[in-house]
Amino acid sequence: MSDKTPDLRTAYSLESREDHKRLYAEWAGDYDESFAAREDYQLHIHIARAFVGAGGQGPVLDVGAGTGLCGAVLAGLGVGPIDATDISAEMLDQAMRKDIYRDAIEADLNEGIPVPRESYSGIVSSGTFTHGHVGPEALPALLRVARHGAQFALSINTKHFEAKGFANALRTLEQGQIENLKLPQVRIYGDLAAGDNKDDTAFIALFEKS
């Protein structure tokens, strides 16, 4: 384990699955304090509110749940039950300590999610499609576990939306697989944020499974 505290710049620069698992194993214990609070992270709040505002309800799968920031907001808004999935077992351990999740599912989105088809009425994701290491190729795995009519609220970093193929992928999915697509844009960090990424924005892909 590194003696250096992981930070946002480190997270954004990673590419391999192994690098991500290593970073988040190191970061899990103080992620909420060393990143979310210090950087005035707001994206999970925007996602949860957008999901509820669009009529989303449980059971919900929180994709890339991390330490459970988004799930905590959802639970506070009366949504449940909620399951968490993440590539990092250490992050999921922290999330389960919050006592808001029904189940934790360790999984790599690029390899699919080991749950039955059409298990969920809602899918949320805050931050998973932010760093650029998970692309639109993961969207079919999310659609597989969603019921017909399921509400989605997925954050996608604005910088990656066109470059990584999300715009094209969503347009393709609109041809029979998803409907009512909306793309509100929000700030990822609040007014207290500092550093190179403080003004970053994300689209919230709000849609329903056809």
Side-chain angles (χ1 to χ4, degrees):
M1 181 175 291
S2 170
D3 292 331
K4 182 181 178 182
T5 301
D7 58 20
L8 191 60
R9 181 175 297 178
T10 305
Y12 273 43
S13 68
L14 298 179
E15 294 185 3
S16 75
R17 176 178 185 264
E18 291 72 23
D19 285 344
H20 281 97
K21 292 192 75 170
R22 189 179 306 114
L23 172 81
Y24 289 114
E26 292 182 23
W27 211 355
D30 66 348
Y31 179 87
D32 291 5
E33 294 78 21
S34 69
F35 166 66
R38 187 183 67 194
E39 299 291 342
D40 199 13
Y41 186 62
Q42 300 287 313
L43 188 55
H44 58 296
I45 300 172
H46 294 310
I47 289 292
R49 289 176 176 172
F51 178 78
V52 172
Q57 56 187 336
V60 176
L61 181 64
D62 184 1
V63 177
T67 60
L69 294 174
C70 188
V73 179
L74 284 174
L77 293 172
V79 176
I82 311 169
D83 290 345
T85 185
D86 200 276
I87 196 172
S88 169
E90 292 81 6
M91 285 285 199
L92 287 173
D93 181 61
Q94 294 295 322
M96 293 303 286
R97 295 182 186 187
K98 289 183 167 71
D99 293 326
I100 54 175
Y101 291 107
R102 177 180 63 180
D103 194 13
I105 305 158
E106 184 180 351
D108 181 346
L109 281 187
N110 294 312
E111 298 176 2
I113 305 168
V115 299
R117 288 179 175 273
E118 300 184 7
S119 293
Y120 298 100
S121 296
I123 308 285
V124 301
S125 180
S126 173
T128 301
F129 302 107
T130 296
H131 302 164
H133 56 274
V134 180
E137 299 81 14
L139 294 175
L142 303 188
L143 288 167
R144 186 190 75 83
V145 302
R147 298 169 182 170
H148 293 290
Q151 179 66 53
F152 282 68
L154 313 176
S155 72
I156 304 171
N157 190 293
T158 305
K159 295 176 181 176
H160 302 313
F161 187 70
E162 293 282 352
K164 297 292 184 179
F166 286 99
N168 286 335
L170 290 170
R171 280 193 289 267
T172 299
L173 290 174
E174 280 188 291
Q175 310 305 310
Q177 296 186 66
I178 68 172
E179 56 192 28
N180 299 324
L181 175 65
K182 299 178 181 64
L183 293 165
Q185 189 172 357
V186 298
R187 291 179 61 192
I188 295 176
Y189 306 98
D191 293 335
L192 300 179
D196 296 341
N197 298 98
K198 66 183 180 63
D199 296 319
D200 284 6
T201 61
F203 290 113
I204 301 178
L206 287 169
F207 58 85
E208 295 142 36
K209 180 177 176 179
S210 300

